[in-house]
Amino acid sequence: MSAYPDALARLIEELGRLPGVGEKTAERMAIHLLRAPQAEALALADAIRAVKESIRVCALCATLTDRERCGVCEDPARDRDLLCVVEQPNDMWALEKVGAFRGLYHVLGGRIAPLDGVGPEQLTLGRLVERVRGGAVREVILATNPTLEGDATALYVQRALAPFGSKLTRIARGIPAGSTLEYASRMILTDALEGRRAL
Amino acid sequence: MAAIKTPALTVGRIDYSETSQIVTFFAREHGKVKAIAKGAKRKKSAFEGALDLLALNEIVFLERGGDGLSILTACVMRDGFPELRRDLDRLNTALWIVELLSELTVEGVAHPELFDQAVATLAALARGAWHPLSLSRFEAQALGHLGFAPRFAGCAGCRRSLDGEERVVFSCRLGGGLCRACRAGHEGVFPVAPGTLALADGLAAGRVTALDRVRVAEPTLADLRRLLTRYIASLAGREPRMLRYVT
């Protein structure tokens, strides 16, 4: 039998389900919430409820949004001829933080990993094909992760989009800026040499 | 726990926690090894890209005690077969080889000849030195290394030669072809041409070496692929996941 009152025990149990949160951390969080002003604790509860009730998939690019279409898709200043394909909304948000890309996105919702039972039909590939089939996309940048599954996904998307005439490109890979060749791995060095460009 | 250093192919990995992964290797001297790679998902992981599927690595692990996981302490990539990542068909073929190694081997049982053959086959695939029979040869010989060699020559029922039989059937349960007299009463059998069995026998026994001099008709090739993949699926006990992607 738990020494905690039932409501507190339940809160600790629920917080303990969060990624990276162990039993002791969950206890500390729960005690903190218990001691916090009521408005502060309820604001957290409201935020969780709002996220669960309002977040949905963008009707165009399949990222997460709280409207029919996300802010990027609705932005008239965006280059609508340029499409960047990413695996997850997190990847899109990472690129948006950099602020270097002014086109639109398409979120696949994962990557093809046949050995894990994830096939192309579980991604938003059909919707991507429909977007490109329209013919208004000048270039599609395949920005899936440089892992084996990410590369496989990029190859699959490349094959699916090849008939439509858009320019297909893959994000560059190689040595990160600020690092040194001496400490780069074999794979990174191979990528960097193969992806060299003329000056 | 003793530290063991060995060449190994990465054949599987799953997330274990926020930062760690459980990686399955097919190691030359130790067979299948499951090891926890602590911190593998951290930005500054010591393993970097070496844990990606298909990579040929030099690994160091602390062998598990009892039923516990081994602990991966070092993993240096020797070859990531980057050429395979530029061609979807070749990549799918390589992943089929990985699935075969992962599904048909057991932990702690070494198959050094199979390891060498798998590495050589992946390297040939990466180089483009590939023949329509290359994959079937690997599969047929791999089955032999694993102790699952089917009886391609002679009837699996009466042991008599299948010479002269126009059409025989193959039984996955018996692991061989059946003549007309023996096939009655066997369920789950499928037809196969005697010539296909003879070709599979030659590939498995290593008699067909210079593949570039071999010409095989398309129906025979399709028959051979069906024979080997159905037999492998029966050994695995389920439809292999990569099968639908391998041409």
Side-chain angles (χ1 to χ4, degrees), chain A residues 115 148 151 185-186 194, chain B residues 48 52 78 85-86 241:
Chain A
L115 291 177
L148 186 121
D151 285 338
S185 73
R186 187 187 175 101
E194 288 181 353
Chain B
E48 291 196 8
D52 220 353
R78 296 292 176 222
R85 295 168 175 239
R86 294 183 212 119
R241 286 176 163 159

Side-chain angles (χ1 to χ4, degrees), chain B residues 44-218:
Chain B
K44 300 263 179 188
S45 162
F47 307 121
E48 291 196 8
L51 299 182
D52 220 353
L53 279 175
L54 266 181
L56 172 62
N57 308 299
E58 193 79 32
I59 66 168
V60 180
F61 66 96
L62 301 174
E63 200 164 23
R64 68 181 187 178
D67 289 334
L69 284 168
S70 297
I71 299 168
L72 187 70
T73 58
C75 183
V76 178
M77 187 192 292
R78 296 292 176 222
D79 195 346
F81 304 110
E83 303 89 344
L84 296 176
R85 295 168 175 239
R86 294 183 212 119
D87 184 301
L88 189 57
D89 293 331
R90 283 200 276 170
L91 183 57
N92 283 336
T93 301
L95 288 174
W96 162 245
I97 290 171
V98 161
E99 186 176 17
L100 202 149
L101 295 175
S102 178
E103 286 295 316
L104 298 186
T105 58
V106 292
E107 287 181 58
V109 180
H111 297 286
E113 302 93 347
L114 176 58
F115 178 87
D116 293 342
Q117 194 191 5
V119 172
T121 304
L122 290 171
L125 183 62
R127 287 197 311 271
W130 200 246
H131 184 276
L133 285 174
S134 297
L135 181 60
S136 298
R137 180 172 64 180
F138 171 75
E139 292 162 340
Q141 294 185 355
L143 290 169
H145 291 314
L146 292 166
F148 298 129
R151 187 177 176 85
F152 291 127
C155 174
C158 63
R159 310 285 171 186
R160 284 188 304 183
S161 168
L162 293 170
D163 290 347
E165 296 270 343
E166 276 187 22
R167 197 79 182 165
V168 296
V169 295
F170 189 86
S171 164
C172 290
R173 195 176 63 79
L174 294 178
L178 291 170
C179 65
R180 181 184 293 272
C182 292
R183 75 181 63 166
H186 288 282
E187 292 181 357
V189 296
F190 55 92
V192 60
T196 304
L197 284 177
L199 177 60
D201 190 42
L203 291 170
R207 290 194 302 275
V208 185
T209 49
L211 292 184
D212 51 347
R213 289 189 216 149
V214 180
R215 296 282 175 272
V216 184
E218 200 56 45

Side-chain angles (χ1 to χ4, degrees), chain A residues 82-83 139-143 154 158 166-172:
Chain A
L82 193 56
L83 202 59
E139 180 178 350
V140 180
I141 303 168
L142 302 175
Q158 180 187 359
S166 299
K167 182 181 177 186
L168 302 174
T169 55
R170 181 88 170 102
I171 50 167

